[in-house]
Amino acid sequence: MCLGVPVQVMHINKQDRAVVNINNIEVVVNTALVPDVSVGDFLMIHAGFAIEKVSLEAAEESIAVWREFIKHV
Amino acid sequence: MFDLRQMSNPLLLKEMVKKTIDLGEKVLDKTKKRPVFMEVCGTHTVAFSRSGVRGLLEGIVDLRSGPGCPVCVTSQQDIDRVLEISRIKGVTLATFGDMLRVPGSSSSLEKERAMGADIRIIYSPLEAIKMAAENPKREIVLLGVGFETTAPAIAVTLQEARRKKVDNISVYSLHKTMPNALISLLEGKEFAIDALLLPGHVAAITGYRSFDFIASKYKIPAVVAGFEVFDIISAISSLLNMLLKGESRIENLYSRIVTETGNITAQKMVNEVFEQGDAIWRGLGEIAGSGLLLKSLYREFETLVRFPIKITEASPYASACRCGDLLMGKIRPFQCNLFRKICTPNNPLGPCMVSAEGACSVYYRYDVSDGESGYDER
Ligand code: SF4
């Protein structure tokens, strides 16, 4: 049920529906739980619903912390 | 734009594993015993086994599964009730696929379907609304199995059913919520877990602060983590670090999705439709305030109001299957005498061998002994 991988929004269909790319297949997901979804956003999906947007900045930051740790500790 | 595939950079992962093993050896030096960590969420169980990280870190940490596989924690009496519901004339049962092969006392949904019950597998609960509209003479029963992550989807579905005036749909809510189950686990006399890896997508909904009690009251270190290999190695490293320093905190390592307070829109949807109730968990028993029941405003959509069901007898396998012990982190699948010998994915004796997130089915698929390390003998 938990896809566990982020998917990217290809286009917005209508209110509360976004089309995402899952393994190169276009799948419609419900976005009622995540207001303000835009094309290009990465979403986490569960049971056909987007449950949250993925912050790319936060992901980059997590990796930067590890790179620093590996370099200096 | 940052490329998320960076999280799978093998050179980075290799260095992370090295650092984590160094850290683990320091903890071993200090405590003279391998720490026991619980990955509460079934999706983490899959991530550890499929990636091989569980085996890779076997020397420094004993990783146990927890009560985070929704199908697995569904009690035997609830499974039996579901089977009774599927037999009612005129009922179409809409369920996530994992429930199909779970053995009840004397049958399974798969067997009921073979005998003529109308059981449909859905991916999203919204499909049940379409099903109800297309089959106005049938009663669609949506099986609500899942945690805080699934409940918002069911809540939106019921709100939509009400808006569209679809009245031949009901929900059998077996939803469970994590905090009180974890409290019950932490209060257990036999609890012997040193640190917890918390379910990332539950925390995305509830916010990581909802798990504060683990550190503040029970002094157990815990991390909220995602499901990439990067994430699970980070989680182990962070927990080892806390153990080494003697700290107990809740660390949010999944900040790309999880915030302090969670998804407020989803919480509102859930609060509109559900209220806290008691739930029976396999292994853990009845836990007050660990279930989600429909509020009176939505009671008309409650399956048990429409169809009062009697419960059948307990399973003859109940004593042999050790799913319950597994879900409490007491054992690993290898320690069940039936694992791989009698109980297999083709002949599952318990839900932990059925669900894709169940520890037994996950270990069956991915965790093999190399004949030397004795990995599956420990
Ligand atoms: S191997 Fe089978 S019988 Fe044993 S605990 Fe797992 S599901 Fe139950």
Side-chain angles (χ1 to χ4, degrees):
Chain A
M1 249 182 331
C2 254
L3 208 52
V5 288
V7 295
Q8 194 168 23
V9 177
M10 310 306 287
H11 43 266
I12 310 287
N13 228 354
K14 53 179 176 173
Q15 199 201 351
D16 289 350
R17 300 284 190 276
V19 179
V20 298
N21 177 350
I22 301 179
N23 295 330
N24 291 327
I25 298 169
E26 293 200 343
V27 177
V28 180
V29 296
N30 187 297
T31 55
L33 305 174
V34 187
D36 307 329
V37 168
S38 313
V39 172
D41 282 349
F42 283 89
L43 300 175
M44 202 50 89
I45 309 296
H46 181 87
F49 281 75
I51 55 164
E52 203 47 272
K53 273 199 259 190
V54 181
S55 155
L56 297 183
E57 296 76 32
E60 190 168 15
E61 166 84 26
S62 305
I63 289 192
V65 168
W66 260 105
R67 287 202 193 280
E68 276 301 298
F69 178 63
I70 289 165
K71 209 149 103 202
H72 298 296
V73 182
Chain B
M1 191 163 77
F2 177 71
D3 187 344
L4 283 165
R5 285 172 301 181
Q6 287 286 348
M7 295 204 140
S8 318
N9 179 333
L11 294 178
L12 173 68
L13 296 176
K14 195 172 148 202
E15 288 300 319
M16 288 170 69
V17 168
K18 244 200 259 167
K19 290 277 180 203
T20 304
I21 291 177
D22 284 353
L23 208 52
E25 278 164 0
K26 283 185 194 149
V27 172
L28 275 176
D29 264 359
K30 185 183 164 194
T31 61
K32 307 292 175 227
K33 99 176 216 317
R34 255 186 342 147
V36 183
F37 293 173
M38 173 182 276
E39 84 263 2
V40 173
C41 173
T43 311
H44 275 140
T45 303
V46 177
F48 275 113
S49 290
R50 186 164 58 192
S51 64
V53 170
R54 189 192 306 281
L56 213 52
L57 302 181
E58 178 71 4
I60 54 156
V61 61
D62 179 350
L63 273 166
R64 308 280 176 92
S65 302
C69 156
V71 170
C72 308
V73 293
T74 303
S75 71
Q76 201 67 19
Q77 45 278 56
D78 284 332
I79 303 281
D80 286 341
R81 269 207 185 131
V82 170
L83 292 169
E84 295 283 349
I85 291 168
S86 78
R87 291 181 200 126
I88 298 171
K89 216 169 156 259
V91 158
T92 294
L93 190 79
T95 173
F96 298 122
D98 272 11
M99 286 298 287
L100 216 63
R101 303 188 64 216
V102 175
S105 297
S106 54
S107 181
S108 67
L109 287 177
E110 192 179 46
K111 287 181 188 155
E112 294 300 324
R113 187 159 74 168
M115 287 189 292
D118 187 8
I119 297 164
R120 316 254 182 108
I121 293 174
I122 50 166
Y123 165 64
S124 163
L126 286 170
E127 291 166 46
I129 295 198
K130 205 166 153 242
M131 224 179 267
E134 286 169 1
N135 300 278
K137 295 224 170 82
R138 294 196 68 82
E139 276 286 337
I140 312 299
V141 174
L142 177 57
L143 204 49
V145 172
F147 298 116
E148 287 91 334
T149 331
T150 313
I154 304 279
V156 172
T157 303
L158 286 187
Q159 286 167 350
E160 200 157 314
R162 159 159 292 177
R163 215 173 24 248
K164 292 183 171 166
K165 299 195 172 21
V166 180
D167 57 8
N168 59 330
I169 187 169
S170 66
V171 170
Y172 184 33
S173 176
L174 296 173
H175 290 104
K176 295 182 176 55
T177 53
M178 272 295 160
N180 285 345
L182 291 180
I183 289 172
S184 154
L185 203 63
L186 293 160
E187 301 246 327
K189 281 194 200 78
E190 297 167 84
F191 182 77
I193 307 285
D194 298 301
L196 294 177
L197 213 154
L198 298 168
H201 292 151
V202 168
I205 302 293
T206 64
Y208 68 85
R209 286 273 161 244
S210 62
F211 291 106
D212 271 351
F213 65 92
I214 298 169
S216 59
K217 181 160 180 211
Y218 297 96
K219 309 289 175 226
I220 304 269
V223 291
V224 173
F227 302 91
E228 303 282 345
V229 178
F230 173 90
D231 295 317
I232 57 177
I233 301 172
S234 298
I236 300 298
S237 172
S238 168
L239 292 174
L240 288 168
N241 205 20
M242 282 195 253
L243 281 189
L244 196 61
K245 292 183 179 157
E247 295 171 350
S248 48
R249 279 180 290 114
I250 305 295
E251 201 161 334
N252 178 22
L253 299 176
Y254 204 18
S255 56
R256 62 186 189 275
I257 285 165
V258 177
T259 60
E260 241 178 271
T261 47
N263 183 330
I264 305 294
T265 309
Q267 290 169 21
K268 272 193 197 142
M269 304 265 192
V270 171
N271 289 336
E272 195 185 319
V273 174
F274 292 106
E275 62 192 12
Q276 265 196 353
D278 304 342
I280 305 174
W281 297 59
R282 189 182 296 265
L284 297 167
E286 183 162 353
I287 304 171
S290 72
L292 290 175
L293 307 178
L294 293 178
K295 277 187 168 169
S296 53
L297 193 65
Y298 281 84
R299 196 57 54 81
E300 60 187 290
F301 290 107
E302 166 58 62
T303 301
L304 291 189
V305 169
R306 280 185 209 187
F307 311 105
I309 303 297
K310 62 178 192 318
I311 311 171
T312 46
E313 77 286 2
S315 166
Y317 283 118
S319 57
C321 169
R322 298 193 67 189
C323 266
D325 288 337
L326 244 149
L327 297 164
M328 290 192 282
K330 288 187 193 165
I331 61 162
R332 299 211 289 188
F334 310 130
Q335 285 156 284
C336 170
N337 290 332
L338 306 173
F339 179 68
R340 280 204 183 120
K341 297 179 191 114
I342 298 169
C343 184
T344 64
N346 282 334
N347 180 38
L349 300 189
C352 299
M353 187 56 96
V354 177
S355 171
E357 299 170 357
C360 300
S361 89
V362 173
Y363 276 63
Y364 187 96
R365 271 178 292 159
Y366 302 113
D367 291 76
V368 288
S369 167
D370 63 9
E372 279 181 17
S373 66
Y375 175 29
D376 64 6
E377 304 302 332
R378 286 191 208 229

